Amino acid sequence: AQKVTQAQTEISVVEKEDVTLDCVYETRDTTYYLFWYKQPPSGELVFLIRRNSFDEQNEISGRYSWNFQKSTSSFNFTITASQVVDSAVYFCALSEDNSGGSNYKLTFGKGTLLTVNP
Amino acid sequence: GAVVSQHPSWVICKSGTSVKIECRSLDFQATTMFWYRQFPKQSLMLMATSNEGSKATYEQGVEKDKFLINHASLTLSTLTVTSAHPEDSSFYICSARTGGIYSNQPQHFGDGTRLSIL
């Protein structure tokens, strides 16, 4: 069974600080996908990134960066120079290979509420 | 690209009413759509997977007769909450995915529907 743990329930930072959101996952599959989604107060989920299990390269997109480490089953997300508009709930999610008939369903972590104060 | 529209965004109705929520992929064909439920300050829980032209697959514990899903076209899936009661009040959010049934593409989410049953 797959599981995603986001141990940080809430994080509060001051604008311009860097912040890292942790994500630890469990899966028995060797092929899987990891995702991060952002949910602002308005409710919609915004797709941020997808990473497959064979690609451990870290990725940077503007102020966002992701660190994928299979050795520790972690897929952490860092926001550099945070801004008030980054305030949202961030979800890490996992989908396993479809070989088990999972249809690539997403399993979400419980989310981390990030508040960036001016 | 990959825009998903969900309607209505907010519903308030009396107990015993049936409520229909629509999920449309606006600029792509979605063989598979997913329906989630989210309680306040909690994660998304998958309710069912909807494949175009076939019966939906419900997650354990989700009542099929309570939550009717129809995926009649490649751009539209509907969720009908039948005889809704206050405990059905929640945030319902759909997602759609490009590619076929076994696609590993990211899910793109609608804006969600806040359902309040009085």
Side-chain angles (χ1 to χ4, degrees):
Chain A
Q2 52 192 51
K3 182 179 177 183
V4 177
T5 301
Q6 294 179 256
Q8 304 150 308
T9 306
E10 295 187 32
I11 299 176
S12 183
V13 299
V14 177
E15 213 170 13
K16 297 185 183 177
E17 282 186 25
D18 298 348
V19 58
T20 295
L21 309 181
D22 297 334
C23 174
V24 175
Y25 62 92
E26 293 177 30
T27 176
R28 282 179 286 190
D29 270 9
T30 55
T31 303
Y32 52 89
Y33 296 84
L34 295 162
F35 302 79
W36 276 94
Y37 285 89
K38 173 182 179 180
Q39 187 177 39
S42 49
E44 77 276 17
L45 259 75
V46 178
F47 166 73
L48 297 178
I49 190 172
R50 181 185 73 153
R51 172 67 77 230
N52 76 56
S53 53
F54 297 108
D55 182 3
E56 282 193 78
Q57 276 193 323
N58 292 330
E59 180 154 339
I60 298 174
S61 177
R63 295 184 297 107
Y64 295 170
S65 63
W66 291 269
N67 185 305
F68 176 28
Q69 293 200 348
K70 288 179 77 170
S71 60
T72 55
S73 297
S74 65
F75 186 44
N76 296 337
F77 173 32
T78 298
I79 301 175
T80 304
S82 59
Q83 300 176 0
V84 173
V85 293
D86 296 327
S87 297
V89 178
Y90 290 86
F91 289 99
C92 181
L94 166 73
S95 74
E96 293 177 331
D97 181 25
N98 191 55
S99 58
S102 71
N103 203 19
Y104 293 106
K105 294 187 295 188
L106 282 174
T107 296
F108 284 87
K110 292 188 176 181
T112 298
L113 172 61
L114 173 65
T115 303
V116 181
N117 299 299
Chain B
V3 178
V4 177
S5 172
Q6 195 170 332
H7 178 81
S9 56
W10 199 295
V11 180
I12 302 174
C13 58
K14 293 181 180 179
S15 186
T17 310
S18 291
V19 179
K20 180 184 282 188
I21 303 170
E22 293 186 350
C23 180
R24 295 181 185 272
S25 55
L26 297 186
D27 53 359
F28 65 98
Q29 293 188 329
T31 306
T32 304
M33 291 184 173
F34 300 85
W35 287 95
Y36 296 83
R37 184 173 181 176
Q38 185 181 29
F39 291 105
K41 297 189 178 183
Q42 293 192 23
S43 189
L44 282 76
M45 299 300 297
L46 179 65
M47 298 175 67
T49 303
S50 168
N51 290 312
E52 185 266 339
S54 61
K55 289 184 180 180
T57 302
Y58 290 81
E59 295 299 300
Q60 193 171 12
V62 178
E63 298 176 58
K64 302 178 184 182
D65 296 331
K66 177 74 172 176
F67 301 100
L68 300 179
I69 292 172
N70 183 281
H71 192 163
S73 78
L74 286 172
T75 59
L76 173 65
S77 176
T78 60
L79 168 68
T80 301
V81 183
T82 61
S83 187
H85 291 284
E87 59 267 27
D88 299 322
S89 298
S90 188
F91 186 62
Y92 293 87
I93 189 165
C94 73
S95 70
R97 190 175 64 191
T98 58
I101 293 177
Y102 303 112
S103 168
N104 58 20
Q105 293 299 308
Q107 294 179 29
H108 297 276
F109 288 80
D111 290 348
T113 298
R114 296 193 186 279
L115 175 62
S116 295
I117 308 299
L118 304 177

